[in-house]
Amino acid sequence: MARLVLTYAAVTLVPVVLLGAALVVSYQAEARGRGLAEGRSEALLVAQTAVEPRLTGRPLSDGLTPDELASMKALAKRSVGDHDVLRLRLRNLSGQVVFSDDGSGFKDRPEDEALDAAHGEVVARLTHLNADSDDVGPIGPEAVEVYEPLTAGSPERRVGVLEIYLPYGPISADVTASLHGLYRDLAAGLALLYLALFAISMSVSRRLRQQLRRNTYLAEHDPLTDLPNRTAFHRSGEVACEAARRDGSSLTIAIVDLDRFKEVNDTLGHHNGDRLLSELARRLSEFVRPGDAVARLGGDEFGLILPGIADPEPVLWLVRRVIAHEVSIGGLPLSVDASIGYVVAPEHGTDVDELLRLADVAMYVAKAQHAGVVRYDRAQNHYDPAKLTLMGELRQGIEADQLVLHYQPKVRVDDGRIDSVEALVRWQHPAHGLLAPDHFVPLAEQTDLIERLTGWVLTTALRDLVALGPAAAGLTMAVNVSARNLGRAGFADRVAQTLARAGAPADRLVIEMTETALLTDPAGAAAVLREVSALGVKVSIDDFGSGQTSLGYLSTLPIDELKIDRSLIADMLVNRAHGAIVRSVVDLGHNLELRVVAEGVERADILAALRSSRCDLAQGYLFARPMPIGQLASRLTSGSPPRTLEPSR
Ligand code: C2E
Ligand code: MG
Ligand code: MG
């Protein structure tokens, strides 16, 4: 701190000193100017009152008359004797010396200044006595040398030039006396300025440092638990890996995911869920040793870095017990289990990204097998390792923008006009190519990754919708949402923010929710759907007919659309029960004032049956497969009339 203050003091001093130096230089120039001006007026006075009255008016080139000469000698003797003048010469209009108090200068070449004065110009300069190249004798004191034109006679005319050296000492004493006062004021002013600048820069920099510290803290910490966040965890992991590599020691990285945390949130509210997370964060922080690291990686996921433990298994079982220890939330004794997956470096690798991915995989195994604590093992064959690895890769895939959206139109059954499109996610996997959502969405739904996935889909779909411009006027965009998305606090707020950021009106967004997803938490889902619907967003029940929603429950939901499950549509012409269900669902939907969509329409005869059942919309390969945005853009403008699709088979 002291060094910082010293640095500031020095840095602030620089401009003040520069300013002071500039002012001093300018004051001195000013003082010299004043000295010269004073010299000039003294010379003028001598010329007008002492020299000119002694001249008869003859040009000095004719030489001085004996009277003039005597009178000039007397004048010179007196004024040089009194030290009022250092040297006094008269020159003719050609610049030659015709009188000199000390006999000097008669042989010198006429000086330019003398010639200028002969033409009527007063020339004054600061010099020393005997400083001219023609002068002889030692250099004398500082002097103001003035060449003053002389006029005399009547009528008055220019007769010659007075060259006079006035002692600068008395003049400069006058000027510097007034300068001293000025310097004092200047020094006081600069000192005040310095203090003010120092104080301002100290306080501004203190505030900036505080802000910087705060921003750095926020960028690396989770605001709820105050634990380091994923970014900070990653960095600690890198440091710990490096240290382990150097020491040749081992390092354990563990990922801890709470089991059924969503139920705590749903039954006790998000506020109490947050309290539970804070309490567990506190316990984990207390549990670890100095040099270990604990972080909140997101949602209900924590990370641990434990260097130098030979056998981490018992330690991690202890972590699990610490977490499961009863905690009182809102007066209720609660206990949550956790699934922990871990890796050991260097055995499982030395790259932090890779280690975190593998620890994720081990955690998914722990979760799926209800195994508590699981060490990553390549040979794990109870689980489909490819899928688990994929899961670990998905997090990075989302960040690396490997997801893509394809859009499938929903068309009006009566005239084939495209009414809306559904965004369906795919993953352009670097090794496996384009992956269908069935390969990764169900896995993502088991963890908080689904949050990021849905966020990405929502943002991208709305951005694309806006980018389609007038070609898509009135078109709505449907996005699929998982049960876990609705379970997270603030879902409706996030949707509202995404709409605002994309600049899309709420009524052009449709949220598709499968009937089975609704059933995992009917009351909670209904509440969130009401919030979403209040924004103006439309709600559609996907795969309807595949679950067993009670009609009573259905009537309490703020829904706009029913999508009849593909399995019912596919065989509605051969399976009489399915045919009847389809017709009933269309009627039911209409009675509840909903639009009804048939999913998976692949054949013209099915389309005809849907038309006669008065189903509103159809979606399926018969009209179009899901397609990239570019293709959708051209489909919207082609067709006759535009924006209609012909059944293809
Ligand atoms: P879904 O929402 O019911 O989407 C319809 C699925 O049926 C799509 O499969 C679509 O390609 C397929 N399909 C459409 N027409 C036909 C047809 O005529 N015949 C047949 N056989 N299939 C047809 P896709 O794209 O593989 O998506 C599968 C499921 O993955 C979706 O079912 C949806 O539940 C889920 N999904 C897709 N994208 C997302 C997403 O962004 N978020 C979430 N949470 N789930 C998504
Ligand atoms: Mg859907
Ligand atoms: Mg569906």
Side-chain angles (χ1 to χ4, degrees):
M1 183 65 191
R3 254 185 67 192
L4 197 74
V5 172
L6 277 181
T7 313
Y8 265 95
V11 168
T12 322
L13 198 56
V14 173
V16 176
V17 166
L18 287 179
L19 177 64
L23 285 174
V24 165
V25 167
S26 120
Y27 281 176
Q28 280 174 346
E30 165 82 12
R32 253 199 319 279
R34 279 190 10 216
L36 284 178
E38 220 164 286
R40 262 172 212 259
S41 39
E42 269 184 43
L44 182 65
L45 202 67
V46 173
Q48 286 180 344
T49 61
V51 179
E52 286 171 353
R54 287 181 160 82
L55 299 178
T56 57
R58 279 179 352 127
L60 295 188
S61 43
D62 298 347
L64 292 177
T65 63
D67 281 354
E68 282 172 336
L69 186 62
S71 163
M72 282 312 298
K73 276 188 176 163
L75 169 69
K77 190 172 172 200
R78 197 173 58 244
S79 43
V80 174
D82 292 351
H83 302 295
D84 292 337
V85 170
L86 294 174
R87 171 176 287 163
L88 193 149
R89 286 172 179 166
L90 296 186
R91 291 178 183 256
N92 62 24
L93 290 174
S94 315
Q96 268 135 3
V97 174
V98 294
F99 170 80
S100 169
D101 69 296
D102 54 1
S104 68
F106 285 99
K107 296 205 186 81
D108 297 353
R109 265 181 310 111
E111 287 168 18
D112 289 345
E113 290 91 338
L115 293 173
D116 288 345
H119 287 103
E121 201 181 313
V122 181
V123 182
R125 60 187 178 120
L126 214 50
T127 178
H128 283 262
L129 196 65
N130 291 335
D132 287 352
S133 53
D134 292 336
D135 286 330
V136 286
I139 300 270
E142 212 178 357
V144 182
E145 180 187 16
V146 186
Y147 293 85
E148 181 79 39
L150 289 171
T151 52
S154 129
E156 236 177 33
R157 55 187 173 136
R158 207 174 296 142
V159 293
V161 171
L162 167 67
E163 180 188 353
I164 187 168
Y165 284 72
L166 298 163
Y168 187 61
I171 297 177
S172 88
D174 253 16
V175 175
T176 35
S178 66
L179 262 191
H180 279 322
L182 217 53
Y183 283 150
R184 237 192 344 269
D185 294 349
L186 175 65
L190 287 179
L192 281 178
L193 177 68
Y194 172 65
L195 287 178
L197 275 182
F198 180 64
I200 292 172
S201 62
M202 273 306 280
S203 108
V204 168
S205 91
R206 188 177 319 120
R207 242 170 299 153
L208 281 179
R209 278 199 311 278
Q210 276 168 356
Q211 188 65 38
L212 190 71
R213 268 203 298 276
R214 196 170 154 62
N215 288 352
T216 318
Y217 184 85
L218 287 180
E220 303 209 324
H221 285 80
D222 161 50
L224 173 67
T225 59
D226 261 349
L227 286 182
N229 61 15
R230 183 176 284 277
T231 313
F233 186 70
H234 194 276
R235 208 160 28 87
S236 305
E238 276 172 350
V239 174
C241 272
E242 184 52 43
R245 217 183 351 251
R246 246 194 343 260
D247 311 346
S249 59
S250 71
L251 176 75
T252 304
I253 297 184
I255 290 182
V256 180
D257 195 285
L258 305 183
D259 296 339
R260 294 192 305 279
F261 175 69
K262 185 179 170 304
E263 286 170 23
V264 176
N265 259 347
D266 291 344
T267 45
L268 300 180
H270 293 290
H271 170 64
N272 285 323
D274 285 355
R275 283 174 56 191
L276 175 66
L277 287 174
S278 302
E279 168 59 17
L280 297 183
R282 194 190 59 75
R283 284 187 194 172
L284 287 174
S285 307
E286 269 180 13
F287 176 82
V288 295
R289 308 159 303 168
D292 293 347
V294 51
R296 181 172 177 216
L297 303 182
D300 52 4
E301 210 173 273
F302 295 91
L304 293 173
I305 299 175
L306 311 169
I309 296 184
D311 183 10
E313 191 95 16
V315 179
L316 292 172
W317 278 105
L318 207 57
V319 168
R320 208 170 169 270
R321 275 229 298 285
V322 167
I323 290 175
H325 198 270
E326 210 171 84
V327 49
S328 162
I329 296 288
L332 273 180
L334 259 186
S335 163
V336 280
D337 281 333
S339 300
I340 304 181
Y342 72 96
V343 281
V344 178
E347 183 186 328
H348 293 125
T350 48
D351 173 66
V352 180
D353 285 320
E354 178 69 0
L355 288 170
L356 283 173
R357 201 176 61 70
L358 299 181
D360 251 351
V361 169
M363 186 274 286
Y364 296 127
V365 174
K367 195 151 269 236
Q369 296 179 335
H370 305 287
V373 177
V374 169
R375 179 189 181 100
Y376 174 75
D377 180 1
R378 261 171 260 269
Q380 254 155 12
N381 48 10
H382 312 286
Y383 249 73
D384 178 351
K387 262 192 181 165
L388 292 166
T389 310
L390 206 60
M391 204 57 253
E393 288 168 348
L394 180 57
R395 189 188 302 281
Q396 287 162 28
I398 297 177
E399 269 157 26
D401 236 6
Q402 290 170 1
L403 297 187
V404 279
L405 288 183
H406 283 184
Y407 297 96
Q408 189 180 31
K410 299 179 192 173
V411 301
R412 291 205 301 231
V413 168
D414 48 9
D415 59 5
R417 184 174 164 82
I418 302 175
D419 174 274
S420 55
V421 291
E422 177 178 7
L424 295 158
V425 71
R426 277 98 183 85
W427 178 10
Q428 189 64 57
H429 188 281
H432 308 313
L434 196 65
L435 294 181
D438 299 344
H439 285 93
F440 60 94
V441 171
L443 285 170
E445 280 172 340
Q446 289 173 25
T447 72
D448 268 349
L449 254 190
I450 193 64
E451 280 287 294
R452 293 199 204 188
L453 186 139
T454 304
W456 184 90
V457 171
L458 203 55
T459 305
T460 311
L462 288 174
R463 195 191 59 211
D464 282 352
L465 177 68
V466 170
L468 283 172
L475 192 83
T476 53
M477 172 64 72
V479 167
N480 294 283
V481 162
S482 304
R484 197 165 168 135
N485 291 130
L486 297 199
R488 280 265 166 260
F491 176 74
D493 289 345
R494 284 195 293 284
V495 170
Q497 281 162 12
T498 314
L499 280 164
R501 269 202 305 274
D507 63 3
R508 296 189 62 192
L509 175 64
V510 180
I511 292 290
E512 287 194 14
M513 186 78 216
T514 62
E515 188 191 6
T516 38
L518 280 178
L519 296 179
T520 54
D521 172 22
V528 180
L529 289 182
R530 267 193 289 276
E531 280 174 39
V532 170
S533 169
L535 297 174
V537 173
K538 303 211 170 68
V539 175
S540 171
I541 305 302
D542 208 351
D543 303 348
F544 187 73
S546 57
Q548 295 110 29
T549 332
S550 93
L551 295 182
Y553 172 64
L554 198 65
S555 67
T556 66
L557 294 175
I559 47 180
D560 302 276
E561 183 181 274
L562 282 182
K563 291 182 77 176
I564 308 176
D565 192 50
R566 196 166 64 214
S567 61
L568 296 173
I569 303 293
D571 61 358
M572 64 178 281
L573 294 183
V574 285
N575 183 327
R576 287 185 53 204
H578 283 179
I581 292 173
V582 170
R583 284 189 296 278
S584 312
V585 171
V586 174
D587 284 344
L588 169 76
H590 287 170
N591 289 335
L592 293 171
E593 295 180 351
L594 308 176
R595 298 181 338 152
V596 182
V597 187
E599 275 187 338
V601 179
E602 292 185 0
R603 293 182 0 217
D605 53 355
I606 291 181
L607 178 66
L610 291 168
R611 197 174 285 131
S612 61
S613 311
R614 294 188 307 115
C615 182
D616 304 289
L617 301 167
Q619 188 181 21
Y621 297 167
L622 180 64
F623 289 102
R625 287 178 181 262
M627 60 190 102
I629 181 71
Q631 217 168 314
L632 174 68
S634 45
R635 283 294 187 94
L636 285 176
T637 44
S638 61
S640 57
R643 218 207 258 190
T644 53
L645 293 176
E646 291 289 327
S648 63
R649 326 175 235 161

